[in-house]
Amino acid sequence: DVMKGIQAGLYVVGGMSSLGKTTFVHQLLDQLAEQGDHVMYFSLEQSKIEMVTKSLARTIKNIADDKQCLTSTLIRQGHKNDGLFKALSHYKTFAERVNIYEGNFNTNITFIRQEIEKYIKFNNANPIIAIDYLQLIPPLDARMTDKAKVDTNITELKRISRDYGIP
């Protein structure tokens, strides 16, 4: 409300380990997709299945009876109930706008830019981008110091944001 929505630009969410930064941003992106925005989530730490099952567990909590709640771990272990089926049905209504990319050693800033360009061209929509997390984006030059790597990646992310008018 204070920001009047999410505007184009670079936002960095920082804090100590295990404070919920990933969960916060992931939940925010799910809510934005549910409202009609396209989102791209580059996860350099968690797998696509981990991200989706976390979305489903959160959705169960929001739309089903408390007795039907399942954790993301239980969902991955194969537990099913009516709450999960309700959550799946709800998630399908916006899942096509949620795009999760599992990171690997090739997920550098050039790859991220190329995927964004392809997405915009294919979907004719400018997505909201999240990258979890900045320090894990490999450098374009392996000889860079950690500070130079982060500085360069931030500069390139700002450039991507400006080039496409996206957050």
Side-chain angles (χ1 to χ4, degrees), residues 32-49:
L32 291 166
E34 193 172 4
Q35 294 171 19
D37 288 307
H38 289 250
V39 300
M40 295 176 77
Y41 197 107
F42 292 88
S43 178
L44 301 169
E45 211 175 19
Q46 297 180 15
S47 70
K48 190 173 195 171
I49 193 70

Side-chain angles (χ1 to χ4, degrees), residues 17-107:
S17 184
S18 300
L19 287 179
K21 299 175 298 291
T22 296
T23 300
F24 167 71
V25 172
H26 182 207
Q27 181 174 345
L28 176 65
L29 290 186
D30 276 352
Q31 290 172 347
L32 291 166
E34 193 172 4
Q35 294 171 19
D37 288 307
H38 289 250
V39 300
M40 295 176 77
Y41 197 107
F42 292 88
S43 178
L44 301 169
E45 211 175 19
Q46 297 180 15
S47 70
K48 190 173 195 171
I49 193 70
E50 287 175 296
M51 302 298 290
V52 171
T53 55
K54 285 181 178 190
S55 292
L56 291 171
R58 187 172 46 253
T59 302
I60 294 169
K61 176 67 176 152
N62 290 337
I63 68 171
D65 184 290
D66 281 352
K67 294 176 186 170
Q68 296 178 329
C69 288
L70 293 171
T71 65
S72 59
T73 303
L74 288 174
I75 295 169
R76 287 192 303 276
Q77 291 172 348
H79 293 261
K80 299 176 184 127
N81 64 22
D82 287 341
L84 176 60
F85 294 116
K86 286 178 189 174
L88 281 165
S89 179
H90 179 74
Y91 191 73
K92 283 181 187 179
T93 65
F94 63 91
E96 67 182 15
R97 292 185 302 276
V98 176
N99 299 275
I100 301 168
Y101 295 78
E102 278 186 48
N104 58 39
F105 294 113
N106 297 323
T107 309

Side-chain angles (χ1 to χ4, degrees), residues 141-160:
D141 180 349
R143 296 170 296 180
M144 287 181 168
T145 65
D146 285 344
K147 181 180 180 344
K149 174 181 79 168
V150 171
D151 288 349
T152 299
N153 286 335
I154 285 175
T155 300
E156 290 304 312
L157 291 171
K158 285 180 183 179
R159 186 172 290 135
I160 291 169

Side-chain angles (χ1 to χ4, degrees), residues 100-152:
I100 301 168
Y101 295 78
E102 278 186 48
N104 58 39
F105 294 113
N106 297 323
T107 309
N108 62 23
I109 204 73
T110 303
F111 173 82
I112 291 169
R113 177 182 276 276
Q114 290 169 346
E115 290 302 306
I116 292 168
E117 288 173 354
K118 286 192 285 188
Y119 188 89
I120 291 170
K121 190 174 196 176
F122 182 79
N123 293 286
N124 197 30
N126 285 10
I128 296 168
I129 312 298
I131 301 167
D132 187 26
Y133 62 87
L134 184 61
Q135 290 89 336
L136 292 181
I137 300 173
L140 296 175
D141 180 349
R143 296 170 296 180
M144 287 181 168
T145 65
D146 285 344
K147 181 180 180 344
K149 174 181 79 168
V150 171
D151 288 349
T152 299

